[in-house]
Amino acid sequence: MYTSESTKYPHTAAIGQRSRILVVEDEELIRDMIVLALEEEGYGVVTATDGRLAVEYLKSYEPSSGELSFDLVILDLMLPQINGLDICRLIRYQGNPVPILMLSAKGSETDRVLGLEVGADDYLTKPFSMRELVARCRALLRRQRLSCLPQLPVLQYKDVTLYPQECRVLVRSQEVNLSPKEFRLLELFMSYARRVWSREQLLDQVWGPDFVGDSKTVDVHIRWLREKLEQDPSRPEYIVTVRGFGYRFG
């Protein structure tokens, strides 16, 4: 079990690629129970018994590097030296995006709102079960991992802009409503501009290999897309027919 006395620096807690969690709690019994529960789940844990030591552990964060000393901070509200609210404010003032789970015996709505407003991501009122704490930790770590995934770029060609993450399309600065199949078709076209796609390839990519039906459904969706994208659908400048082969974008 890690203790603040035996762990001098945060990086010493890293074991392999395990998520590293800083537990800032001055009550020994609660702290030991949290550490035991987290270590049983395979997390690497560092503890701090007061606010000053927690700040010491966290000050190594450099916004320019984007590297976190810890993957999660479990932070008690009432601490010796520096209280949890001030630590939370300091973490966010430094630009450190580490998820923060705040613990407190104060369970009023005002206290919870205050904790969240100063930068905590979640708030757990004492007494709590270790099962709930571990579940909340998992959720915060999962959210953090997802936020670190590379974001798909905005796709743009002339007056058409597609936002993959938002499932949104602008045509000449006006938002247009596309069906899911129309959106997927357009996203595929714009991701591979000027590539020629046969009807069979489009069916496989958008409708899936198990699609049973007429390949003319592609032509129907292309016509609908042109009506929403083109100024003159009879003379398309975006979705172009390549006779004998299929369609291309641009």
Side-chain angles (χ1 to χ4, degrees), residues 41 47 61 171 181 187 204:
E41 293 294 318
T47 64
Y61 174 73
V171 179
K181 288 292 190 294
E187 183 181 21
D204 185 62

Side-chain angles (χ1 to χ4, degrees), residues 44-75:
V45 184
V46 175
T47 64
T49 56
D50 61 64
R52 194 175 299 279
L53 185 57
V55 170
E56 185 70 22
Y57 285 167
L58 290 160
K59 72 179 183 181
S60 61
Y61 174 73
E62 289 291 340
S64 58
S65 70
E67 294 183 2
L68 300 178
S69 301
F70 297 97
D71 300 291
L72 174 66
V73 176
I74 298 175
L75 181 62

Side-chain angles (χ1 to χ4, degrees), residues 89-176:
R89 289 190 185 97
L90 179 61
I91 290 172
R92 298 307 184 222
Y93 177 78
Q94 292 173 335
N96 190 336
V98 62
I100 299 172
L101 172 58
M102 187 167 285
L103 309 179
S104 176
K106 298 181 177 181
S108 71
E109 181 181 3
T110 301
D111 292 317
R112 292 196 301 271
V113 169
L114 180 59
L116 296 171
E117 284 185 344
V118 299
D121 297 276
D122 200 356
Y123 192 104
L124 192 54
T125 303
K126 298 177 182 178
F128 51 82
S129 71
M130 290 301 114
R131 184 177 179 180
E132 181 179 6
L133 179 131
V134 169
R136 288 176 183 254
C137 289
R138 285 201 199 105
L140 289 170
L141 289 167
R142 182 168 59 248
R143 193 184 309 164
Q144 175 72 2
R145 285 193 295 270
L146 288 174
S147 71
C148 292
L149 291 176
Q151 299 295 304
L152 292 175
V154 172
L155 301 175
Q156 184 164 13
Y157 180 80
K158 293 185 178 178
D159 292 329
V160 178
T161 306
L162 184 145
Y163 299 88
Q165 295 292 327
E166 302 174 29
C167 296
R168 193 161 62 95
V169 175
L170 299 181
V171 179
R172 291 176 286 280
S173 300
Q174 298 295 315
E175 188 163 348
V176 297

Side-chain angles (χ1 to χ4, degrees), residues 70-90:
F70 297 97
D71 300 291
L72 174 66
V73 176
I74 298 175
L75 181 62
D76 187 34
L77 183 62
M78 303 301 293
L79 292 166
Q81 307 292 336
I82 305 174
N83 67 51
L85 287 176
D86 287 338
I87 294 173
C88 193
R89 289 190 185 97
L90 179 61

